[in-house]
Amino acid sequence: MSTNARHPLDLSLGLTHRPRRNRKADWSRRLVRENVLTTDDLIWPIFVVEGENVLTPIASMPGVDRLSVDQAVAAARKATELGIPAIALFPYTEPELRDPNGSEALNDANLVCRACRAIKKAVPQIGLITDVALDPYTSHGHDGVMEGETILNDETVAILVEQALNQARAGADVIAPSDMMDGRVAAIRAGLDSEGFQLVQIMAYAAKYASAFYGPFRDAIGTKAVLTGDKRTYQMDPANSDEALREVATDLDEGADMIMVKPGLPYLDIVHRVKDAYGAPTFAYQVSGEYAMIMAAAQNGWLDGDKAMLESLLAFKRAGADGILTYFAPKVAEMLKRGA
């Protein structure tokens, strides 16, 4: 037998670099992992509704309920126990309280304000984020007041400032204008400062797209049935990317403390560009349609729901997001607490 014979598996490709070496074991993969998801990255959106001890399931968002104020307080306690830093409140406004100008948004005893006061009294350490836009309150389902078929920008901004002040007085820590009106961040900042709310933060929905992924959310807040037309004259064109950077630059110049991109997964390129360009605190919203798709596929056995959920959230971190609004927040926090 020849002494030069080689073992059949003794094959060398002459490789200096073998990336698989760093993937060979769990301990090694953990050491070289570039991004990590923690509970500190989570914001839990909560839908509030009138009543007491009410948990109303939302059919298009399996596992998500509308909560009465007392149940929202319980959710805030749960969030704190799980280490979730903040919750975001969205109201389901009864039809009889809606009108063309969204007047209920300025009622200091409206659902959001009552929820803010109750939560801050019971769980003062939780961060409270409130949505500033008129669509939960208007009879036509738009984010601003209308003249014919036109959304009036400046007239809407004047109302948004009063809405923001109403929420700040109720205990909101972060005002989150999602309306996409021009100039609203500067106006809200000036309004807050004028009343002594200099430390109330603004999380601007700076790049909010006219997306098809909002359907279940509109079910949840009751606007889907009343919305007339669409929102393309104020929400961004999904085809545009450079425009998002201009919108973000404007909102930062006007005093935004944090920036939001919405939706999330279909717009990770926007998240990355925004974070890379400005380095400002950047958040993304894993919207209702994204949540519903993962849940529907998981319920049909088409994918592993837990793995898809965690992978989708890690993608936000990889893109550069500092935090994520996600309906998965409590489930993810529980899994992370167990070391999943």
Side-chain angles (χ1 to χ4, degrees), residues 166-240:
N166 194 30
Q167 295 172 353
R169 295 180 194 118
D173 298 295
V174 181
I175 298 298
S178 65
D179 55 285
M180 290 299 288
M181 298 296 122
D182 295 335
R184 89 277 203 212
V185 172
I188 289 171
R189 183 72 272 161
L192 291 171
D193 290 354
S194 71
E195 288 212 8
F197 294 113
Q198 290 91 345
L199 295 183
V200 171
Q201 296 150 275
I202 295 178
M203 176 187 285
Y205 286 63
K208 181 179 180 181
Y209 286 83
S211 172
F213 287 89
Y214 302 147
F217 176 90
R218 290 173 182 165
D219 284 338
I221 66 169
T223 61
K224 190 172 184 178
V226 301
L227 180 62
T228 57
D230 57 52
K231 302 189 177 188
R232 289 181 293 178
T233 66
Y234 49 102
Q235 293 180 355
M236 283 185 56
D237 186 335
N240 292 354

Side-chain angles (χ1 to χ4, degrees), residues 20-325:
R20 285 186 58 190
R21 282 194 286 258
N22 286 340
R23 306 176 199 144
K24 66 182 180 182
D26 177 68
W27 64 263
S28 181
R29 292 191 295 273
R30 287 159 52 204
L31 281 175
V32 301
R33 188 163 291 149
E34 298 173 30
N35 295 283
V36 178
L37 179 71
T38 76
T39 53
D40 293 340
D41 300 314
L42 304 175
I43 298 170
W44 183 7
I46 291 173
F47 299 105
V48 288
V49 70
E50 296 288 354
E52 188 173 346
N53 198 29
V54 174
L55 294 93
T56 305
I58 300 166
S60 54
M61 299 179 69
V64 177
D65 299 322
R66 299 187 192 99
L67 308 177
S68 53
V69 170
D70 57 312
Q71 292 299 318
V73 170
R77 287 198 179 99
K78 180 178 180 179
T80 300
E81 291 166 2
L82 290 171
I84 297 171
I87 60 176
L89 299 177
F90 298 91
Y92 175 88
T93 305
E94 297 296 335
E96 62 271 18
L97 295 176
R98 296 172 177 269
D99 64 30
N101 293 327
S103 303
E104 181 65 9
L106 307 187
N107 178 2
D108 64 4
N110 69 25
L111 193 52
V112 166
C113 290
R114 282 185 280 121
C116 283
R117 292 187 179 99
I119 291 169
K120 274 300 178 185
K121 181 178 180 181
V123 196
Q125 65 270 40
I126 195 78
L128 267 185
I129 301 171
T130 52
D131 177 63
V132 168
L134 297 184
D135 54 325
Y137 305 100
T138 55
S139 51
H140 45 68
H142 279 286
D143 296 51
V145 294
M146 300 182 73
E147 185 175 89
E149 297 183 359
T150 301
I151 309 298
L152 301 177
N153 190 93
D154 296 12
E155 292 84 348
T156 295
V157 169
I159 299 172
L160 298 178
V161 172
E162 293 305 316
Q163 182 184 14
L165 287 168
N166 194 30
Q167 295 172 353
R169 295 180 194 118
D173 298 295
V174 181
I175 298 298
S178 65
D179 55 285
M180 290 299 288
M181 298 296 122
D182 295 335
R184 89 277 203 212
V185 172
I188 289 171
R189 183 72 272 161
L192 291 171
D193 290 354
S194 71
E195 288 212 8
F197 294 113
Q198 290 91 345
L199 295 183
V200 171
Q201 296 150 275
I202 295 178
M203 176 187 285
Y205 286 63
K208 181 179 180 181
Y209 286 83
S211 172
F213 287 89
Y214 302 147
F217 176 90
R218 290 173 182 165
D219 284 338
I221 66 169
T223 61
K224 190 172 184 178
V226 301
L227 180 62
T228 57
D230 57 52
K231 302 189 177 188
R232 289 181 293 178
T233 66
Y234 49 102
Q235 293 180 355
M236 283 185 56
D237 186 335
N240 292 354
S241 176
D242 292 343
E243 183 186 11
L245 297 190
R246 296 194 295 273
E247 288 278 8
V248 169
T250 298
D251 283 0
L252 289 172
D253 287 345
E254 290 184 3
D257 301 287
M258 297 171 277
I259 291 299
M260 171 77 74
V261 175
K262 184 181 180 183
L265 286 177
Y267 296 86
L268 290 182
D269 60 317
I270 308 301
V271 174
H272 180 74
R273 288 194 68 186
V274 167
K275 188 63 176 180
D276 188 56
Y278 302 106
T282 302
F283 294 78
Y285 200 140
Q286 186 178 49
V287 298
S288 59
E290 299 171 58
Y291 173 88
M293 288 192 300
I294 292 173
M295 290 297 293
Q299 289 179 342
N300 279 283
W302 296 335
L303 50 72
D304 184 315
D306 287 351
K307 288 182 179 178
M309 171 186 68
L310 290 171
E311 184 178 339
S312 69
L313 294 174
L314 191 58
F316 287 103
K317 295 294 293 179
R318 192 183 65 245
D322 296 290
I324 309 129
L325 276 83

